[in-house]
Structures are given as structure tokens and as C-alpha cells.
Amino acid sequence: MALSGIVADNLSKDAKIEQSATIASFLHNYENGRIDINDKTVMFVDEASLIGVKDYAQILNIVESNNAKIINIGDDNQLQAIQAGGASALIKKYSNSVQLNEIRRQVDSKDRQATLDLSNGNAKEALAHYLNKGSIIMHKTKADM
């Protein structure tokens, strides 16, 4: 599951997971008895750092009460939660976590480096790469655009 439908769909396709849902639809369907969670259930939460603590607390209560498992996927350095957040950083601090350092989506090695530059706060270098590559088009006026 994820906060947005597009991310949930991409998680489903990329990871070959049969069911995906937004956080809101998952919570709604669970509360209405449409989803069966048990001790064999493993829930993947993509972009976990964006989820507010209220929704995350509900998800964790569901996981705990059904003896299910949860795996968070996300980057604490990416964006902050829209609602009151910070749950992901605390979970990372007090539980096991694994950091992935290999970029697989970008085929071009220079694109991979630009992604690393962005994640390390080197936006100037990353944007220069994409500008030189022609991926960013600049316009001087609104009319030109």
C-alpha cells in the first residue's frame, strides 16, 4: 500500500504483488470487513515516510492484532508527511532496517549518478546533468513556454 494510487499500482507491478491499495482504501476496506489479515499476511508500505502518524498507528494496530508483518519502504530524506509525521524515522531508529544503495531504475550510469547526487543534496550537479542531457528545457518567457 501507499499514500497515492499511482505509487500503489507501481509497487504492485514492480514487485509483482497481487493486491495493492492506497492507505485510505486499505483502512476503509479493513474497517468494513472486506480485507482478511492473518499471521501469514505481509504488508509492504511504500513511501512510508509520507504517512501521518494517525494512519500509521491504525495500520500498526491492524498488523499487531492480526499477528501480521509489515515492511516499510521509503526515504526519510525525501519528503515529509503531509499530516503529522515522523513515524518512519522513529521506526527506523528502534527497529531493524536495511539501506539499499544500488540504483536499478536508471540504465544510464550518468543518470544513476544524478540520482545519487539528488539523494545526497547535490542538486546543482544533478540538475546540470539533466540540463546538459536535454531533459530540462528552459524558457525565458511564459509566451516562449
Side-chain angles (χ1 to χ4, degrees):
M1 70 184 89
L3 208 53
S4 78
I6 291 171
V7 174
D9 288 345
N10 286 339
L11 176 63
S12 179
K13 289 175 194 166
D14 291 347
K16 297 181 177 129
I17 295 172
E18 289 181 29
Q19 291 182 350
S20 69
T22 63
I23 302 288
S25 69
F26 166 76
L27 292 172
H28 176 77
N29 287 331
Y30 181 80
E31 289 167 6
N32 289 296
R34 294 187 195 122
I35 297 176
D36 183 37
I37 306 292
N38 59 46
D39 62 346
K40 298 197 183 329
T41 302
V42 178
M43 291 194 268
F44 292 85
V45 181
D46 200 2
E47 296 186 348
S49 62
L50 299 178
I51 301 169
V53 292
K54 279 176 114 176
D55 286 345
Y56 203 83
Q58 282 183 282
I59 293 166
L60 288 181
N61 284 334
I62 293 167
V63 167
E64 184 177 34
S65 64
N66 291 285
N67 294 317
K69 303 285 184 252
I70 188 166
I71 296 174
N72 292 312
I73 305 162
D75 183 352
D76 294 335
N77 297 322
Q78 200 172 19
L79 296 170
Q80 294 299 310
I82 296 166
Q83 301 170 343
S88 181
L90 285 173
I91 290 165
K92 186 174 156 186
K93 182 177 179 179
Y94 293 105
S95 67
N96 297 330
S97 66
V98 175
Q99 185 174 353
L100 300 177
N101 294 315
E102 184 181 345
I103 297 168
R104 293 178 171 236
R105 284 190 178 168
Q106 287 83 9
V107 177
D108 183 323
S109 64
K110 291 179 181 177
D111 288 349
R112 283 196 299 270
Q113 182 58 50
T115 299
L116 284 172
D117 287 339
L118 284 171
S119 70
N120 292 322
N122 301 322
K124 185 177 180 181
E125 291 84 352
L127 291 174
H129 162 70
Y130 288 119
L131 185 62
N132 291 334
K133 185 178 178 178
S135 297
I136 298 174
I137 300 168
M138 306 283 274
H139 300 280
K140 292 187 182 208
T141 67
K142 196 173 189 178
D144 289 342
M145 188 169 60

